[in-house]
Amino acid sequence: MWFSFWRSRDRFTLDELRYFTEQLMIIEVVDDVNKDFVREALRSIAALITYGDQHDSEFFEVFMEKQIMGEFIRILKINKHEIVALQLLQTMSIMIQNLKSDHSIYYLFSNEHINFLITYSFDFRNEELLSYYISFLRAISGKLNKDTISLLVKTEKEDIVAFPLYVQAIRFAFHEESMIRTAVRALTLNIYHVGDVHINKYIASTPHDDYFLNFVKFFRDHCIILNGMVSSTTESQSPEPTSSILSAVDEVEDNLYYLNDVVSAGIPNVGMLITDSMLKLLVFPMLLPSLRVEVSDGKKFSSVTSLYLLSCILRILKIKDLANIVAAALICSIEPPNGFREDHDETHGDSHVDDEKPSGILNSSNMIISIPSLSSTSCVQHSCLSSASVLRDALISYITSGKDMQVVGSLSLLATILQAKELDESLLDALGILPQRKQHKKLLLKALVGEDTGEEQLFASENCTSNDCMDGELSIYLQRLKDQYEVSCSYQEVGESPRIHRCLVLDALVSLFCRKNISADTLWDGGWLLRQLLPYSETMFNAHHLQSLKDSYKECCSQLAEEQRGSWPDLLIRVMCEEWRKCKRAIEASYPRKEPKSMLFPTKKSSSSDVILTESSFAAAAMMYERVKVFVLLYQLQIFIAGRSLPDQLPILPPADFREISRAKSAGLSILGPKLSTEMNLVDSVPCRIAFERGKERHFNFLATSMGTLGWIILAEESPHKPGYGTIRCVAPLAGCNPKIDDSHSKWLHLRIRPPTLPLTETARNSSNLKLRPKLLVDGRWTLAFKDDEACRSAFTMIHEEIDLQCSEVERRLKPMISGDF
């Protein structure tokens, strides 16, 4: 047992640390012979120092005594292998990340060795080496505070003249590898949030402030890429995959969240620089023009992409000036003498590294103004409807006459502006979306402080002076549009009451609720915006509004009456109850139920033509689902207009008592309906044959029956031991079976068999599934053979009688809603 004399080597000792240090000291060059030992020595030293930091301070004393950091630098200088450089970076990262002692961190950062490693000329063509280098830089940034950060900078007369960590890191801020970009952003945020005055001054000084300008250009390039994807989805025959658009959306939103984190650090002038760059490079030359103009050479942002990007910028980037200037641009007439300049290259490969500052001078060659038609049913005449470039009117025109995606985009942008805490209320008022409760609060405050205009408007909102329309910060931001951003604009609505603007928005929303080519989800978004603007009063509705909504409601009642005798009456009340609760939550919620990115993915609105073409119960279910959602919204709006609060439950009649005489009772079925393998009485059934497999015909007894709003087709196998009774073998829904006697064989009865239930919750979560489901799923088909023509006609009549009973119960329960009883 000679091996019992050998003992395992204790790796975590001071002797081990001294051993590896001494071995490194005698190495004169790192070559193929000793490179593996050097790697092992570096790895072991990192493990020993980390262990010592947590268990024994003597380890780090040896580290300082032997000047091991100096040895690391020497090894790097005499090294000829990238694998050793890679190990050294990994060793440093491990040590820095795991050292808890402030004393240890101060020592590492205090002798310029760290800056030497940061500025060393590594071969970054090796992607793995670059990855370890960025991890090394990020590890350093994780240990920064106001004390440690001063050890990594060079100063002259209290001014920082060099900060290698920051300068080297932002070199890779726009690297093609997303993991590297993410690491650099985390590093920069660690630096920004230290809050050192001198560091902030260095970061915001020239040329280091170019980083923020270049980042906005980088962000703009990703917006251009996203626009290309969205345009291909809406215009070409080969749509962009949803996953690609979602990835591009995630990149755009991640960039905005990073910029917001940068702004939240509070570095002087950085927020202003980001605002100016965002406005001059993206918002003014690209996004706002695309809402109302067309570019003759075809190079433009789609209106949907622009609406999404504006919504995201205002929702994520919390900068007061940015939000107010964009809002001001929406309410004035932009009239650039030479037009906006397309300040981007279609290749957009290196545009983010352009050092040229945005000049703010906007050119507009090749652009022509277009005026979407607006509704002529405004509650008051708007004197600026003839203005060709008031962007607020473009948003309204999208709601009244735009496509589904444009409607969603316009509603999303208005909702985002409405909820932006950075916006001044005077701008909301000029846009026509200042909530009614805030209007009353504002006028009441004016009246209380003795302003005549406030008291007049409080009791007569139609009157308004020019000063009232230009109160708050509105005039300030309009002037800044001209002076600071050189955007020639004019506000032509002086002398008009903000009530006019609110009426225009209200007109548009009422018009939206009366449109037939818009999806129910989009109408719900409009319902939310309406409730935000008018949370408790119907006084803004005029006779035309009321009549239009009533007419639209009546049309929905007619459609719902069709559904009561359609393919899914047994599920109609259940769906209505579910959608009632969802709609109530959606329009009474504090926030919109969907994120802005939903506007980039069009939803399919089912129509009656879909059902006719496909003859599918799934298409019929999708249309029923859509009709129910529209009906529920319009019904709830009618209750709101009547000045009543919405009930929590659907206002329908309770189920009727079961009939004493019915086929279901004669068959002995339980109140829960037929169940497979249970016994039933065959008194009303009709014998038939059916083959579920080729060549395997089976004999059954057919029965159609209903109980309340439910109905079934039952096939029972006659019991050989109990005459007149049978065992239930097949059950299918009665509704939607569409019975038809064969034209050539009068003993044959054809039935369509739809599913007993529809996964509505699943399709509601994934609208794309709802769009595709009618094409992917197929109804079943039964052909029943009876002994003679009379038996076949008897089964046919039985089906229609039970369907009529079933549908009549559905009609009875829904009568209070369809009768218009509010």
Side-chain angles (χ1 to χ4, degrees):
M1 300 187 45
W2 57 270
F3 55 83
S4 63
F5 292 98
W6 290 89
R7 294 185 178 181
S8 60
R9 177 177 168 186
D10 187 0
R11 295 181 58 242
F12 296 102
T13 64
L14 291 171
D15 290 338
E16 279 288 290
L17 180 58
R18 292 190 180 97
Y19 166 76
F20 283 116
T21 303
E22 291 168 359
Q23 292 300 313
L24 285 180
M25 288 179 177
I26 63 176
I27 293 176
E28 296 181 356
V29 63
V30 180
D31 52 23
D32 292 335
V33 176
N34 59 16
K35 65 178 182 180
D36 291 333
F37 171 78
V38 173
R39 290 182 62 203
E40 179 60 29
L42 293 172
R43 187 184 298 113
S44 299
I45 289 174
L48 288 164
I49 295 302
T50 301
Y51 171 83
D53 185 69
Q54 300 175 11
H55 298 88
D56 189 348
S57 60
E58 290 189 30
F59 280 81
F60 203 82
E61 291 176 4
V62 172
F63 183 86
M64 294 186 293
E65 176 188 345
K66 298 294 185 179
Q67 296 186 4
I68 296 178
M69 276 296 295
E71 284 302 310
F72 286 170
I73 301 300
R74 189 182 68 84
I75 289 296
L76 184 61
K77 291 179 179 179
I78 63 176
N79 170 56
K80 296 182 180 180
H81 292 274
E82 288 184 352
I83 195 170
V84 174
L86 189 151
Q87 182 59 55
L88 178 59
L89 290 173
Q90 185 182 33
T91 296
M92 292 303 303
S93 297
I94 292 172
M95 288 174 54
I96 294 172
Q97 287 173 356
N98 291 282
L99 288 177
K100 306 298 182 184
S101 169
D102 292 340
H103 172 70
S104 302
I105 294 297
Y106 292 153
Y107 175 80
L108 288 181
F109 288 5
S110 62
N111 50 26
E112 283 298 314
H113 292 318
I114 292 293
N115 277 342
F116 178 86
L117 292 174
I118 291 173
T119 57
Y120 186 79
S121 299
F122 293 102
D123 184 3
F124 293 128
R125 291 174 297 181
N126 184 327
E127 294 182 3
E128 186 178 12
L129 181 62
L130 175 59
S131 178
Y132 277 101
Y133 176 76
I134 296 298
S135 296
F136 165 63
L137 298 186
R138 184 173 181 178
I140 297 172
S141 72
K143 299 295 182 179
L144 294 180
N145 54 45
K146 290 188 177 181
D147 296 322
T148 57
I149 200 169
S150 62
L151 303 174
L152 299 176
V153 300
K154 296 180 180 179
T155 60
E156 291 181 3
K157 298 179 180 179
E158 296 186 356
D159 290 332
I160 298 175
V161 295
F163 188 10
L165 175 64
Y166 181 72
V167 173
Q168 291 298 116
I170 61 177
R171 286 177 52 199
F172 304 98
F174 312 110
H175 194 272
E176 60 184 7
E177 177 57 50
S178 62
M179 295 297 291
I180 292 177
R181 296 198 303 270
T182 301
V184 171
R185 293 177 191 181
L187 181 152
T188 55
L189 290 176
N190 286 339
I191 293 174
Y192 300 153
H193 284 88
V194 168
D196 184 272
V197 175
H198 301 289
I199 292 292
N200 289 347
K201 181 179 178 182
Y202 176 84
I203 290 168
S205 63
T206 305
H208 311 295
D209 58 349
D210 283 346
Y211 168 66
F212 306 107
L213 169 63
N214 291 333
F215 194 95
V216 173
K217 292 181 178 179
F218 176 79
F219 170 73
R220 178 193 61 184
D221 292 344
H222 279 281
C223 294
I224 295 171
I225 293 172
L226 175 63
N227 179 65
M229 293 181 177
V230 174
S231 297
S232 68
T233 299
T234 55
E235 297 174 6
S236 75
Q237 298 299 321
S238 55
E240 192 77 22
T242 299
S243 58
S244 300
I245 296 180
L246 284 174
S247 297
V249 165
D250 289 342
E251 183 68 26
V252 165
E253 295 189 0
D254 287 346
N255 290 339
L256 285 173
Y257 279 115
Y258 170 70
L259 286 175
N260 188 62
D261 289 340
V262 172
V263 173
S264 68
I267 303 175
N269 300 324
V270 167
M272 182 179 65
L273 176 58
I274 292 175
T275 297
D276 287 351
S277 301
M278 190 69 70
L279 291 171
K280 295 175 181 177
L281 295 177
L282 180 62
V283 174
F284 286 146
M286 297 183 186
L287 301 187
L288 293 183
S290 68
L291 299 182
R292 289 300 299 267
V293 301
E294 296 179 357
V295 182
S296 60
D297 61 3
K299 297 179 180 179
K300 62 169 288 187
F301 264 61
S302 74
S303 58
V304 173
T305 310
S306 296
L307 290 167
Y308 162 72
L309 291 172
L310 286 170
S311 298
C312 275
I313 290 171
L314 297 180
R315 178 175 62 93
I316 297 174
L317 206 50
K318 307 295 185 182
I319 304 178
K320 180 178 180 180
D321 279 356
L322 177 62
N324 283 281
I325 289 172
V326 171
L330 292 175
I331 61 177
C332 70
S333 177
I334 298 178
E335 302 167 351
N338 297 316
F340 288 109
R341 176 171 58 92
E342 289 285 338
D343 191 18
H344 68 274
D345 189 348
E346 287 299 316
T347 59
H348 57 263
D350 300 318
S351 63
H352 58 271
V353 295
D354 183 6
D355 291 333
E356 181 184 357
K357 294 281 196 305
S359 64
I361 300 176
L362 307 174
N363 303 317
S364 67
S365 57
N366 300 326
M367 289 195 177
I368 55 177
I369 300 297
S370 63
I371 312 175
S373 60
L374 294 177
S375 172
S376 60
T377 61
S378 300
C379 58
V380 285
Q381 184 64 34
H382 182 211
S383 63
C384 291
L385 289 182
S386 60
S387 173
S389 55
V390 177
L391 299 178
R392 180 199 57 218
D393 294 345
L395 299 181
I396 293 175
S397 70
Y398 286 142
I399 296 174
T400 58
S401 58
K403 298 178 181 179
D404 207 300
M405 296 173 69
Q406 292 174 324
V407 176
V408 176
S410 185
L411 292 174
S412 178
L413 181 55
L414 290 175
T416 301
I417 294 173
L418 177 65
Q419 294 194 307
K421 296 180 179 179
E422 299 80 18
L423 270 173
D424 185 79
E425 288 188 0
S426 62
L427 288 156
L428 290 178
D429 214 6
L431 283 167
I433 57 174
L434 182 65
Q436 196 175 60
R437 60 183 180 273
K438 291 188 177 180
Q439 300 166 23
H440 289 180
K441 178 181 176 181
K442 172 183 173 184
L443 297 177
L444 182 60
L445 180 61
K446 285 185 177 181
L448 289 174
V449 298
E451 293 186 20
D452 295 337
T453 56
E455 186 174 358
E456 290 174 4
Q457 291 181 65
L458 185 61
F459 298 102
S461 59
E462 293 81 356
N463 300 322
C464 175
T465 65
S466 60
N467 291 332
D468 298 329
C469 295
M470 296 289 287
D471 64 357
E473 299 184 9
L474 174 58
S475 58
I476 297 175
Y477 285 105
L478 290 174
Q479 193 63 39
R480 285 185 62 182
L481 277 172
K482 296 180 181 180
D483 299 342
Q484 186 173 346
Y485 297 100
E486 302 182 19
V487 176
S488 177
C489 66
S490 60
Y491 186 68
Q492 303 177 13
E493 299 170 348
V494 173
E496 292 183 354
S497 167
R499 183 175 181 272
I500 294 177
H501 313 146
R502 295 193 290 273
C503 281
L504 287 173
V505 176
L506 183 59
D507 283 348
L509 291 176
V510 172
S511 175
L512 173 64
F513 299 138
C514 300
R515 293 184 61 178
K516 306 299 184 293
N517 58 339
I518 299 298
S519 68
D521 282 338
T522 302
L523 297 181
W524 281 22
D525 295 338
W528 178 88
L529 183 59
L530 178 68
R531 290 301 301 269
Q532 292 296 309
L533 301 180
L534 304 173
Y536 54 77
S537 175
E538 74 281 4
T539 55
M540 290 292 289
F541 292 101
N542 60 23
H544 176 79
H545 295 152
L546 299 177
Q547 187 61 46
S548 297
L549 290 174
K550 187 175 181 179
D551 293 343
S552 186
Y553 164 73
K554 287 182 177 179
E555 184 172 347
C556 282
C557 288
S558 300
Q559 294 177 346
L560 198 64
E562 295 177 9
E563 294 300 332
Q564 291 173 346
R565 293 190 172 270
S567 297
W568 297 86
D570 49 341
L571 285 183
L572 182 60
I573 293 179
R574 171 191 154 194
V575 171
M576 289 186 69
C577 290
E578 292 177 352
E579 296 310 310
W580 179 272
R581 292 190 294 269
K582 292 179 182 177
C583 185
K584 185 176 185 295
R585 287 198 304 266
I587 66 177
E588 291 182 348
S590 301
Y591 297 92
R593 61 196 183 96
K594 294 188 296 186
E595 296 183 1
K597 63 183 176 183
S598 64
M599 75 180 73
L600 302 179
F601 305 98
T603 57
K604 177 179 173 59
K605 180 183 182 297
S606 298
S607 62
S608 56
S609 60
D610 295 333
V611 182
I612 294 173
L613 291 175
T614 61
E615 294 185 355
S616 165
S617 68
F618 300 98
M623 187 180 71
M624 180 266 287
Y625 193 71
E626 188 80 6
R627 284 178 168 180
V628 166
K629 295 182 72 172
V630 176
F631 175 83
V632 164
L633 173 66
L634 291 177
Y635 191 90
Q636 293 189 4
L637 288 178
Q638 293 291 334
I639 294 177
F640 168 67
I641 292 172
R644 294 169 44 214
S645 59
L646 294 178
D648 293 331
Q649 302 297 327
L650 194 70
I652 60 175
L653 296 177
D657 296 332
F658 290 115
R659 302 188 310 275
E660 288 296 328
I661 301 176
S662 67
R663 292 187 175 94
K665 190 166 185 178
S666 299
L669 300 180
S670 72
I671 195 173
L672 299 177
K675 294 186 178 180
L676 294 177
S677 301
T678 59
E679 188 178 75
M680 64 170 281
N681 194 321
L682 302 178
V683 59
D684 294 321
S685 64
V686 182
C688 66
R689 306 185 312 277
I690 185 172
F692 291 113
E693 299 180 49
R694 184 180 295 274
K696 294 184 179 181
E697 192 175 72
R698 299 180 62 182
H699 291 263
F700 291 106
N701 281 64
F702 169 86
L703 179 68
T705 185
S706 65
M707 286 192 292
T709 61
L710 303 178
W712 304 273
I713 293 172
I714 303 172
L715 297 181
E717 191 173 33
E718 187 172 2
S719 173
H721 306 295
K722 193 174 181 180
Y725 287 84
T727 303
I728 298 175
R729 298 302 183 191
C730 298
V731 178
L734 176 64
C737 66
N738 294 351
K740 181 181 179 183
I741 298 175
D742 192 276
D743 296 333
S744 302
H745 301 81
S746 56
K747 299 178 184 180
W748 292 3
L749 181 62
H750 299 291
L751 302 177
R752 182 184 71 179
I753 306 301
R754 41 143 269 225
T757 59
L758 186 69
L760 296 178
T761 53
E762 176 186 348
T763 56
R765 286 195 303 267
N766 190 341
S767 59
S768 61
N769 284 351
L770 183 61
K771 177 179 66 175
L772 298 177
R773 189 169 296 278
K775 299 180 181 179
L776 295 178
L777 301 181
V778 180
D779 292 310
R781 300 288 174 179
W782 285 2
T783 300
L784 302 177
F786 296 89
K787 64 179 180 179
D788 51 37
D789 296 355
E790 184 179 353
C792 185
R793 286 194 298 271
S794 175
F796 180 82
T797 302
M798 185 192 308
I799 291 174
H800 279 287
E801 288 176 352
E802 294 297 326
I803 288 179
D804 186 66
L805 291 172
Q806 177 186 14
C807 294
S808 296
E809 174 61 10
V810 175
E811 292 172 349
R812 185 193 69 83
R813 295 191 63 189
L814 293 179
K815 186 177 180 180
M817 297 189 70
I818 295 182
S819 65
D821 183 11
F822 302 111

